Amino acid sequence: MSLSVSINQSIDAFSLNVKFDAPVGLTALFGPSGSGKTTLVNSVAGLSRGCVGRIAVDDWILQDSDLGIWLPPQKRQLGYVFQEGRLFPHLTVRQNLLFGQWFAKGRPPIVKFTDVVEMLGIGALLSRRPSLLSGGEKQRVAIGRALLAAPKLILADEPLAALDEARKGEIIPYFECLRDEINVPILYVSHSIAEVARLATTVVALNGGQLTQVGPAVDVLGDPKFIPVGVRAVGAVLDVTVVAHHSDGLTELDAAGSPLFIPQISQEPGRVMRVRIAAHDVILSCDEPKGLSALNILHGIIEAVRSGDGPGAIVSIRTPAGTVLARVTRRSSIALGLSEGVSCYAVIKTVAIAPQDAGG
Amino acid sequence: MTDWLGPEEWSAVMLSLKVALWATLGALVPGVFVAYALARWRFPGKQIINGLVHLPLILPPVATGYLLLISFGTQGIFGSLLAEAGIVFAFRWTGAALAAAVMAFPLLVRAVRMSIEATDPKLEQAAQTLGASKLWIFVTVTIPLILPGILAGAVLAFAKAMGEFGATITFVSNIPGQTQTLPSAIYSFLQVPGGENAALQLVGVSIFVAMTALLLSEYIGRRLAQWVSAS
């Protein structure tokens, strides 16, 4: 199943103009606030009218202006997880969960009630009212409610934004689980690069209502042109496997044959996960570095050097582990003769891979 | 209680309760509907509808009663049509109920409208994305959330209907046993020498009914508010 969106929408002076395909998995709508992410997701949901174009999940047409089709939200077969949960305060958790399922009668469920309850760990909450739940519990119930509506498409509008860091860490694994287990496209709005790096299969980057980039997450996040929220946010994402936990407090990871060491994490050996390496935590060296305290050194070939108006430049290096980004000054970029095709070493400080970036 | 009140007083009390009950019940459904429309819909002429709804509140009650008389009296536009269908308002207790309903309507609408405006439309939106049609959303989300407001509005309407005097006496007169409601009876007793005692008794009954309704609604309202938001 795949979501295809091709729409134009004008609200006052703002105009949204997008065209992309979102395959199964989690498609992150990423961009700064005011870039049109929520407008876009609400257009897909049918909650905001006045958008022209076509929105479809495979042959299930939600809207097609040429054919004169516009389904109201209740007919779109959605599961929408809102930022604030929006649980019904007068219903119990069980009744909330069953609300969408009741209206989805006659459609095959994508998950069973008991499985949802077990997966989200909300069995003990079923008879409670939402006002007695914590923020994280509310979001878990909201996810369950969306899943049980037998959706053809799951929408999530910054579902973690209202939660504190600890609660975010509690909810993220559920979205990973949805991404990996459920055969329904997920459109996920976020302005957090860490969330996108950890969750996204596909990234749709927006700025000022226009698409800036679309593609598989690993490609988009590793592309030096991908600077939607300033240079500091730039970083590469690598797929890694946990190899072993060493007695000196380090965990060894395998990134396509290259070892990486990070402070000990709780994930079991054999677990596949992602790490994000921020560009400003990478140092470049033309010669093989010796006598450095950094443990992680990747050899590679420079793919591109991109500099803007400021003093900095972003260098992308293709290494066996994947594409790594480094932020250097333009001065050192010229001094080292960094240009496309040059061989160099990317030095990554061990501590640069923060545990919160090392998503499980 | 029957011994304590004379038959005339007793029938006035019973008539008033009947009139107020029917007036409240009759005003409830259109009142909630109008309140919802005013709170949530945008349509041309909304301010005119809003003004019409509030008219009985700001017009002299006698004027409202007279308007009812010329429209719902046996010679009136609606009255003559309804009379053919066997529904007669003029000089009947049904007319008193109609007058009370019209007078209570703006109070009911205001209370319900306020509680609708206080509920978060985002919850209705969430229900919509879960597949609920407008009608189902109204029944399963909006109505339960505004129940305390509906109750408050209904009690206010009931109290207003119990005390309505001007429009009622203008529209259906003051016929003992037929259209003599509690306020009309108090007024009548005060017109005859030696009627003060009976009038005072009826004032006491009015206070009792009003206080009971108020306390009951406070209690149920608190329970409902708890039910809506907590466990």
Side-chain angles (χ1 to χ4, degrees):
Chain A
M1 291 220 277
S2 160
L3 164 73
S4 65
V5 176
S6 166
I7 53 170
N8 296 303
Q9 182 164 22
S10 295
I11 302 167
D12 301 328
F14 181 80
S15 103
L16 182 72
N17 212 317
V18 292
K19 181 173 165 56
F20 64 90
D21 285 324
V24 168
L26 191 144
T27 299
L29 280 179
F30 179 71
S33 32
S35 57
K37 305 183 297 283
T38 298
T39 308
L40 173 52
V41 87
N42 281 339
S43 293
V44 174
L47 291 175
S48 65
R49 297 200 66 154
C51 98
V52 179
R54 188 172 195 276
I55 303 169
V57 181
D58 290 344
D59 53 357
W60 171 248
I61 300 170
L62 305 181
Q63 162 169 5
D64 191 323
S65 304
D66 293 339
L67 299 176
I69 297 173
W70 187 88
L71 292 184
Q74 67 269 25
K75 300 230 168 97
R76 294 197 171 200
Q77 308 195 0
L78 305 168
Y80 197 150
V81 182
F82 296 91
Q83 182 176 331
E84 342 75 279
R86 300 199 195 176
L87 300 180
F88 303 119
H90 60 293
L91 301 179
T92 62
V93 167
R94 180 192 295 276
Q95 290 165 330
N96 267 284
L97 287 170
L98 293 173
F99 192 92
Q101 194 183 50
W102 197 74
F103 290 106
K105 274 183 308 205
R107 298 212 299 270
I110 60 169
V111 273
K112 282 195 296 196
F113 182 81
T114 46
D115 293 344
V116 167
V117 169
E118 193 191 347
M119 182 192 102
L120 296 168
I122 49 180
L125 312 175
L126 288 177
S127 58
R128 291 203 203 156
R129 288 293 187 80
S131 58
L132 297 176
L133 304 183
S134 71
E137 288 171 336
K138 279 182 190 161
Q139 268 329 47
R140 268 144 69 192
V141 175
I143 293 168
R145 186 176 70 172
L147 283 177
L148 287 166
K152 285 201 164 71
L153 171 68
I154 293 173
L155 306 173
D157 186 7
E158 307 237 12
L160 308 182
L163 305 175
D164 58 38
E165 286 305 318
R167 295 283 162 272
K168 279 182 191 165
E170 177 193 315
I171 299 299
I172 278 191
Y174 297 115
F175 276 103
E176 288 180 315
C177 185
L178 296 192
R179 177 194 67 197
D180 300 336
E181 307 286 332
I182 286 169
N183 189 29
V184 170
I186 304 167
L187 198 58
Y188 185 104
V189 172
S190 178
H191 67 263
S192 152
I193 187 80
E195 254 172 72
V196 173
R198 183 160 169 183
L199 290 172
T201 336
T202 307
V203 172
V204 174
L206 277 177
N207 206 346
Q210 309 299 315
L211 279 188
T212 54
Q213 221 152 3
V214 182
V218 176
D219 292 353
V220 172
L221 296 174
D223 185 335
K225 290 202 294 294
F226 182 66
I227 312 180
V229 286
V231 163
R232 285 201 69 80
V234 179
V237 173
L238 300 180
D239 289 317
V240 299
T241 312
V242 179
V243 176
H245 300 302
H246 294 290
S247 58
D248 58 357
L250 292 180
T251 294
E252 184 181 345
L253 307 172
D254 174 79
S258 308
L260 286 176
F261 295 90
I262 66 169
Q264 189 137 10
I265 53 172
S266 56
Q267 278 76 9
E268 293 295 311
R271 177 77 189 264
V272 176
M273 52 178 237
R274 278 179 174 179
V275 291
R276 195 177 99 80
I277 298 163
H280 59 83
D281 284 328
V282 177
I283 299 166
L284 292 184
S285 166
C286 286
D287 305 313
E288 184 167 5
K290 290 196 176 75
L292 276 186
S293 65
L295 288 166
N296 298 315
I297 299 171
L298 295 169
H299 180 240
I301 306 291
I302 293 179
E303 277 183 328
V305 179
R306 183 169 178 262
S307 52
D309 298 331
I314 297 287
V315 181
S316 80
I317 309 104
R318 179 178 295 280
T319 75
T323 299
V324 173
L325 298 183
R327 187 163 72 109
V328 297
T329 58
R330 272 202 290 186
R331 179 177 296 190
S332 37
S333 154
I334 292 164
L336 290 171
L338 300 179
S339 61
E340 203 180 321
V342 171
S343 151
C344 74
Y345 292 85
V347 181
I348 305 151
K349 289 189 287 178
T350 303
V351 289
I353 309 168
Q356 62 264 30
D357 279 353
Chain B
M1 210 165 167
T2 27
D3 297 339
W4 179 63
L5 283 178
E8 204 174 332
E9 290 103 306
W10 185 239
S11 88
V13 170
M14 290 314 286
L15 182 72
S16 261
L17 286 172
K18 182 162 88 173
V19 162
L21 197 68
W22 281 102
T24 308
L25 289 177
L28 207 54
V29 172
V32 171
F33 174 78
V34 169
Y36 189 83
L38 289 175
R40 287 285 155 84
W41 294 349
R42 282 195 203 167
F43 52 91
K46 182 169 164 176
Q47 285 316 310
I48 295 172
I49 299 290
N50 192 33
L52 281 176
V53 166
H54 281 87
L55 211 54
L57 199 65
I58 44 181
L59 218 57
V62 181
T64 306
Y66 184 63
L67 286 173
L68 284 172
L69 187 62
I70 57 176
S71 49
F72 285 95
T74 33
Q75 308 299 319
I77 320 152
F78 306 115
S80 51
L81 283 172
L82 287 166
E84 282 175 34
I87 302 166
V88 179
F89 288 111
F91 308 111
R92 303 272 178 89
W93 75 268
T94 47
L98 178 67
V102 168
M103 295 300 290
F105 197 69
L107 296 172
L108 180 72
V109 169
R110 286 176 72 87
V112 177
R113 180 180 175 172
M114 262 174 16
S115 73
I116 292 174
E117 281 168 352
T119 62
D120 191 350
K122 287 177 171 177
L123 287 174
E124 293 164 356
Q125 229 177 34
Q128 210 185 358
T129 64
L130 289 163
S133 66
K134 290 266 157 72
L135 184 66
W136 274 114
I137 294 170
F138 189 70
V139 173
T140 58
V141 178
T142 317
I143 289 283
L145 290 178
I146 63 169
L147 265 184
I150 293 178
L151 179 83
V155 170
L156 210 58
F158 183 82
K160 173 70 190 171
M162 281 294 291
E164 163 45 33
F165 176 67
T168 310
I169 206 164
T170 313
F171 181 31
V172 292
S173 183
N174 183 0
I175 308 159
Q178 283 285 332
T179 62
Q180 191 177 68
T181 58
L182 213 147
S184 310
I186 295 173
Y187 175 76
S188 298
F189 280 121
L190 290 176
Q191 300 304 303
V192 292
E196 289 88 349
N197 254 342
L200 210 56
Q201 282 174 345
L202 288 180
V203 170
V205 172
S206 300
I207 294 171
F208 174 77
V209 172
M211 285 301 283
T212 309
L214 195 71
L215 292 175
L216 204 66
S217 88
E218 290 262 320
Y219 174 74
I220 301 175
R222 216 173 305 134
R223 293 297 297 269
L224 275 180
Q226 268 174 13
W227 175 77
V228 164
S229 61
S231 65

